[in-house]
Amino acid sequence: MLTDELDPRALRVLLVEDDDGDAVLVEELFADANLDVDLRRARSLEAAADMLDVDCVLLDLGLPDAAGIPALEKILASPRTPAVVVLTGMSESGAGLRAVAAGAQDYLVKGDVSPELLARAVRYAIQRRHAEIQERDLYRAQVRASETSRLERGLLPTPLVADGALEVLVGYRAGRDGLLGGDFYDVVERPDGSVAAVVGDVAGHGPDEAALGATLRTAWRTSVLAGLPAEQVLDVTEQILAAERGRPEIFATAVMVVVNPERTALDLFLCGHPTPFLLGPPTTSLPSDRRGRALGIPVLGGWTSQRVELPERWRIILFTDGVLETTIDTRGARLGEEGLQVLMDDQLRVEADQSPDARRRTFVELVLEAVRARHGGDLVDDTALVVLGWGGGAA
């Protein structure tokens, strides 16, 4: 029976047909087929456009406002396209075959349709459409996985450090949607024995920012391996940013440290980025007196390093703002610098208390898990962490 309301328990079918006689015939065929169908009708393509929330469309190719393949193409252009079975009044099968080639799941010739044939065509069309959607979703998932893998190779490099006595821990956690963002990190030992590390964050979210982050990370590593002075490394990285960004307002923050060969001091460069911590307990911030501008910001001034003397045993952690900006309650309060320092002190104790018989989680893993727990789920923003340590850990 033709109805205005859809029964969720039945197959939902929309008949797009301007001829009253043909519409009655289709209704009778469904009744004779003993198929539970919730049948609706549109007399024109324009009317059908707002009624496509169904399982299957029976589409007449001879409508008052569209005819032939163009009518089918308009239905298929809808973002919520259901299965489509074309009804043609022509005895030859050419029009139906062209409709299937254009995207319909099946076709029927008016006058040659039995109840069983109509019921089977609708059921099979719905199954084919479901299979097509699953195949499309699988393909998209495979493409996304491939893109993510390529971005991971750029954003998540293996630290290039030969000094086995230097502790190097790295970690990355994608945001809630699982797609890598513009955060990046790297650690490279230079020919003179010093070790350079960077953590950066391209403003914005999405594949373009992730690709730019990977490019900046590659530019930074190449510049370090080429033996450029630390200040010049940042200059080159900014030049690559200006050349590769899609819009002039895109910028990146970064923090770079260069630990001297003796592991007794480091040079700190802050480019509009959160200040690294010296792990404790108590965990404290490194000095930030010489904070510089972010990369890509068109203002005067560059970056001046700040020398930081290190204790005999030390660990420092570099991070992006994904951990600082994490919300920790329903009112939107953020973890912040002090909260993160307390959290890290807690995880230092957890790290020390781990059973030697269990899988020992790294400090980076512990911090990421703890931040996620404070937030109550996956983090909205992506996060990169780098830990460098000397002398067996923090004093």
Side-chain angles (χ1 to χ4, degrees):
M1 179 182 296
L2 290 168
T3 65
D4 292 329
E5 299 296 331
L6 290 177
D7 181 356
R9 297 168 297 178
L11 291 179
R12 302 171 300 168
V13 177
L14 172 64
L15 174 63
V16 188
E17 173 63 75
D18 64 319
D19 187 279
D20 291 336
D22 287 342
V24 171
L25 177 61
V26 170
E27 184 179 359
E28 293 176 347
L29 288 171
F30 274 127
D32 293 342
N34 196 27
L35 183 66
D36 191 10
V37 172
D38 205 332
L39 185 63
R40 302 185 75 182
R41 180 185 175 193
R43 296 176 180 272
S44 67
L45 202 64
E46 181 180 2
D50 296 326
M51 304 170 65
L52 293 178
D53 188 19
V54 293
D55 300 307
C56 182
V57 173
L58 290 175
L59 176 65
D60 179 23
L61 289 183
L63 297 170
D65 55 348
I69 299 301
L72 171 64
E73 291 174 340
K74 289 184 179 180
I75 292 290
L76 296 177
S78 169
R80 52 179 179 174
T81 304
V84 179
V85 175
V86 163
L87 296 174
T88 175
M90 294 169 275
S91 59
E92 75 277 1
S93 61
L97 291 174
R98 288 194 296 275
V100 171
Q105 276 66 51
D106 206 345
Y107 74 94
L108 296 170
V109 178
K110 293 180 180 180
D112 293 340
V113 182
S114 65
E116 294 76 14
L117 179 59
L118 177 60
R120 185 170 63 250
V122 169
R123 288 198 304 265
Y124 286 5
I126 293 172
Q127 291 175 0
R128 292 190 192 102
R129 181 57 181 160
H130 288 168
E132 290 172 1
I133 292 173
Q134 291 174 351
E135 183 177 357
R136 180 196 62 196
D137 291 344
L138 176 60
Y139 173 75
R140 288 177 175 174
Q142 291 172 337
V143 170
R144 180 168 178 171
S146 177
E147 292 175 346
T148 300
S149 178
R150 290 198 299 272
L151 289 174
E152 283 180 345
R153 290 194 293 270
L155 287 170
L156 314 182
T158 300
L160 193 59
V161 177
D163 184 357
L166 182 71
E167 179 188 25
V168 180
L169 302 175
V170 295
Y172 189 99
R173 185 68 57 87
R176 181 168 295 162
D177 62 2
L179 182 64
L180 294 172
D183 289 11
F184 61 93
Y185 67 79
D186 205 351
V187 184
V188 175
E189 185 171 355
R190 306 195 324 166
D192 64 357
S194 61
V195 172
V198 67
V199 166
D201 183 3
V202 177
H205 301 277
D208 291 340
E209 287 75 14
L212 181 56
T215 299
L216 297 182
R217 202 282 305 168
T218 301
W220 182 89
R221 173 174 280 208
T222 301
S223 301
V224 172
L225 291 175
L228 298 181
E231 295 84 352
Q232 196 171 347
V233 168
L234 293 173
D235 289 337
V236 170
T237 304
E238 184 176 51
Q239 291 173 19
I240 297 299
L241 169 64
E244 296 292 334
R245 61 187 173 185
R247 303 184 306 278
E249 64 270 20
I250 293 178
F251 65 93
T253 67
V255 55
M256 181 174 70
V257 298
V258 181
V259 181
N260 67 359
E262 298 76 27
R263 314 297 186 234
T264 58
L266 61 82
D267 292 321
L268 171 64
F269 295 84
L270 290 173
C271 309
H273 197 86
T275 308
F277 292 164
L278 177 66
L279 293 174
T283 294
T284 57
S285 296
L286 293 180
S288 58
D289 303 337
R290 298 184 181 180
R291 180 179 296 276
R293 61 176 175 81
L295 302 173
I297 298 294
V299 297
L300 296 177
W303 309 278
T304 303
S305 65
Q306 183 160 1
R307 174 55 65 100
V308 178
E309 301 297 330
L310 297 170
E312 183 178 354
R313 300 169 60 216
W314 55 266
R315 291 170 100 185
I316 61 168
I317 183 167
L318 291 66
F319 49 87
T320 52
D321 62 3
V323 287
L324 288 175
E325 299 299 319
T326 297
T327 55
I328 55 175
D329 61 29
T330 57
R331 299 187 303 275
R334 302 188 184 278
L335 183 59
E337 184 173 296
E338 292 184 3
L340 184 58
Q341 289 173 350
V342 171
L343 182 145
M344 289 187 176
D345 282 343
D346 291 340
Q347 299 317 303
L348 286 169
R349 286 186 282 270
V350 172
E351 180 189 40
D353 292 340
Q354 289 185 103
S355 169
D357 299 329
R359 186 189 77 84
R360 294 182 63 83
R361 291 170 293 172
T362 69
F363 181 71
V364 164
E365 292 173 330
L366 292 171
V367 168
L368 289 173
E369 291 171 7
V371 172
R372 183 182 184 279
R374 288 294 307 275
H375 178 63
D378 292 337
L379 304 185
V380 175
D381 199 3
D382 37 282
T383 298
L385 301 175
V386 171
V387 170
L388 300 179
W390 181 257

